[in-house]
């Protein structure tokens, strides 16, 4: 069965430092992988996705993510954190070989400390 | 501007009442989804629809019903059979099925049962 794990409920980073939000996945075939961000009482906003090709994917607001097939990971990164990056981040996976269901992780709350 | 509109944003319901949450999109997307979000549990799929007049149950469909009479609209009814309906409900759409499209989300509807 397909699944997504975000091992950290919360990540704290000082402003200006690099940040990483972790995500690992399990699918039967090749995955499509996504990151979304959610601000309080709002819907989710798409950040970036991995479909195929280059393992390093660049997205909105300076975020990037690295697909690692051997480790089944898709960690979200940013070289220099901003206070405005504080939000709830979700990793999601879609299994290419299955139906159209998209599975979300439980989310990681990112706190950027001024 | 294209997007997804959910209404109402906040809704209060007495126990035993059915309520319907509206979701309308003008993105010309084929697929639409309803998710439920509870603190610390991520997003759980309630129902999804890939084409008009067709929909499938997600992981937590019990106590909910949907219809898809028009491409633009995918209303969700929370029935009195839903044991714990207080939650944040998110509607989403994507371009199609089995391809690489990301989800576009509405701003959500927060339902509170009194």
């Amino acid at each position: 069965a397909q699944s997504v794990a975000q091992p950290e409920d919360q990540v704290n980073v000082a402003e200006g430092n690099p940040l990483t939000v972790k995500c690992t996945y399990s699918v039967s075939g090749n995955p499509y992988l996504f990151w979304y961000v959610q601000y309080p009482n709002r819907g989710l906003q798409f950040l970036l996705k991995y479909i195929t090709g280059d393992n390093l994917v660049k997205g909105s607001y300076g975020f990037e993510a690295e697909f690692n097939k051997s480790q089944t990971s898709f960690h979200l990164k940013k070289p220099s954190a901003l206070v405005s990056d504080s939000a709830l981040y979700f990793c999601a996976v879609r299994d290419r070989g299955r139906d159209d269901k998209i599975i979300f992780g439980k989310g990681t709350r990112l706190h950027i400390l001024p | 501007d294209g997007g997804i509109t959910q209404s109402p944003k906040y809704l209060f319901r007495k126990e035993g009442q059915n309520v319907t949450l509206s979701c309308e999109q003008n993105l010309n997307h084929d697929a639409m989804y309803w998710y439920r979000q509870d603190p610390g549990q991520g997003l759980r799929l309630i129902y999804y629809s890939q084409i008009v007049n067709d929909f499938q149950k997600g992981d937590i469909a019990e106590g909910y019903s949907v219809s898809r009479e028009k491409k633009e609209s995918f209303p969700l009814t929370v029935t009195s059979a839903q044991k714990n309906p207080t939650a944040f409900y998110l509607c989403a759409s994507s371009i199609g099925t089995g391809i690489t499209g990301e989800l576009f989300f509405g701003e959500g509807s927060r339902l509170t049962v009194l």
Side-chain angles (χ1 to χ4, degrees):
Chain A
Q2 54 184 120
S3 65
V4 177
Q6 293 182 242
E8 302 155 318
D9 291 336
Q10 183 169 310
V11 171
N12 297 321
V13 177
E15 186 177 23
N17 282 4
L19 69 87
T20 299
V21 183
K22 296 180 181 177
C23 172
T24 60
Y25 66 90
S26 174
V27 297
S28 56
N30 290 317
Y32 295 150
L33 293 157
F34 304 82
W35 275 102
Y36 293 85
V37 60
Q38 185 182 33
Y39 297 98
N41 294 310
R42 304 291 297 277
L44 277 68
Q45 297 176 31
F46 168 73
L47 280 178
L48 51 78
K49 63 184 177 183
Y50 172 81
I51 304 302
T52 188
D54 194 347
N55 289 344
L56 185 64
V57 178
K58 294 189 183 297
S60 306
Y61 312 119
F63 284 94
E64 58 189 28
E66 185 167 12
F67 171 63
N68 187 317
K69 187 172 183 177
S70 63
Q71 297 186 3
T72 62
S73 68
F74 189 56
H75 300 332
L76 181 70
K77 300 181 180 184
K78 187 173 183 181
S80 179
L82 300 172
V83 172
S84 57
D85 293 329
S86 299
L88 187 57
Y89 289 81
F90 290 96
C91 182
V93 64
R94 173 185 273 176
D95 188 337
R96 295 187 195 186
R98 291 174 56 88
D99 60 22
D100 197 41
K101 291 170 68 171
I102 300 169
I103 303 299
F104 284 82
K106 293 188 176 184
T108 298
R109 189 162 299 280
L110 178 63
H111 286 286
I112 307 302
L113 309 171
Chain B
D1 288 333
I4 298 180
T5 301
Q6 288 187 240
S7 63
K9 190 167 179 66
Y10 298 95
L11 184 61
F12 298 89
R13 184 194 99 175
K14 294 181 180 178
E15 285 198 29
Q17 289 181 334
N18 293 354
V19 294
T20 297
L21 307 181
S22 170
C23 178
E24 303 278 332
Q25 55 102 355
N26 60 4
L27 299 167
N28 199 33
H29 285 173
D30 295 307
M32 296 187 74
Y33 309 79
W34 274 104
Y35 288 90
R36 171 178 169 144
Q37 184 177 15
D38 297 282
Q41 294 196 45
L43 274 69
R44 293 183 289 168
L45 182 63
I46 304 173
Y47 270 97
Y48 65 105
S49 168
Q50 298 173 336
I51 57 173
V52 174
N53 293 322
D54 188 43
F55 47 83
Q56 289 78 41
K57 293 181 179 180
D59 300 315
I60 56 165
E62 185 176 351
Y64 299 97
S65 65
V66 293
S67 63
R68 187 83 187 277
E69 298 177 0
K70 298 186 300 181
K71 187 175 185 179
E72 308 81 44
S73 179
F74 191 41
L76 173 74
T77 296
V78 184
T79 75
S80 56
Q82 168 52 233
K83 296 280 188 274
N84 184 20
T86 294
F88 191 51
Y89 291 89
L90 288 160
C91 180
S93 69
S94 68
I95 284 180
T97 63
I99 60 172
T100 63
E102 62 271 23
L103 296 180
F104 292 76
F105 283 85
E107 292 292 287
S109 293
R110 186 169 297 280
L111 173 63
T112 303
V113 174
L114 303 174

